[in-house]
Every structure is written in structure tokens, then in C-alpha cells.
Amino acid sequence: MELKTEETEDLSKKLESLKESLVSEKKAKVMIQEELLRMYIQEEDLLNSHQKLHSKFRAISNSKLGKLTYVYWRFLKRIKRGKRNENNKH
């Protein structure tokens, strides 16, 4: 009789140990899924923000004043680049 009770005690301890490890693994899995969901929502927000900015950029770049401003900025950039090259030559 003594052997059977010891064996059942050992089995119950092993069972409890397995239950605890299963619970901890499930908790870890839930935490990972929550993190994944948070990252997915953040990525979706970034994509929406990018789409809004891109549509604004297209609207501005297709307007007459936007095109004129873009040409002006390229002109200024060319002038500044020329000054930088002159400074390097001296």
C-alpha cells in the first residue's frame, strides 16, 4: 500500500508541476499576442498617417503655387550647392 500512495503522490506532484508550466506558457503566449496586436495597431496608424500626408503632398505638388514653390526650392538648393562648392575650392 505504501508504494501506491507514494506513486500517486509523485504523480500528483508531477501533474501539478505540468499544470503550472502549462499556465505559465499560456500567459506568455497571451502576452506575446497582446504585444503583436499593439504593434499591428501602431503599424496601421502609421500607414493611415502616411496615406494622409501623401495625399496632401500630391494635392500641393499638383497645384500651381505648389509647383512654383518646388521650382523655387530647387533653385535655392542649386545656388546653395554652388556656394558650398566655391568654398571648397578656395
Side-chain angles (χ1 to χ4, degrees), residues 3 5 12 26-27 34 37 48 59 83:
L3 288 175
T5 57
S12 65
K26 284 186 176 185
K27 285 181 182 179
E34 288 174 349
L37 179 63
N48 288 336
K83 286 182 182 178

Side-chain angles (χ1 to χ4, degrees), residues 16-32:
E16 280 298 317
S17 166
L18 289 173
K19 282 182 182 179
E20 288 176 7
S21 66
L22 181 64
V23 167
S24 66
E25 287 179 15
K26 284 186 176 185
K27 285 181 182 179
K29 182 180 177 182
V30 168
M31 288 175 52
I32 289 171

Side-chain angles (χ1 to χ4, degrees), residues 4-63:
K4 289 185 178 180
T5 57
E6 288 178 14
E7 289 177 1
T8 56
E9 287 177 9
D10 287 344
L11 287 175
S12 65
K13 287 179 183 178
K14 286 181 182 179
L15 183 62
E16 280 298 317
S17 166
L18 289 173
K19 282 182 182 179
E20 288 176 7
S21 66
L22 181 64
V23 167
S24 66
E25 287 179 15
K26 284 186 176 185
K27 285 181 182 179
K29 182 180 177 182
V30 168
M31 288 175 52
I32 289 171
Q33 287 176 339
E34 288 174 349
E35 179 70 16
L36 185 62
L37 179 63
R38 187 188 62 78
M39 290 173 63
Y40 174 76
I41 290 170
Q42 184 180 13
E43 185 73 20
E44 192 174 27
D45 290 343
L46 286 173
L47 286 172
N48 288 336
S49 174
H50 179 265
Q51 286 176 344
K52 287 178 185 177
L53 286 174
H54 189 66
S55 66
K56 287 181 182 180
F57 170 77
R58 275 188 278 135
I60 290 173
S61 66
N62 289 335
S63 70

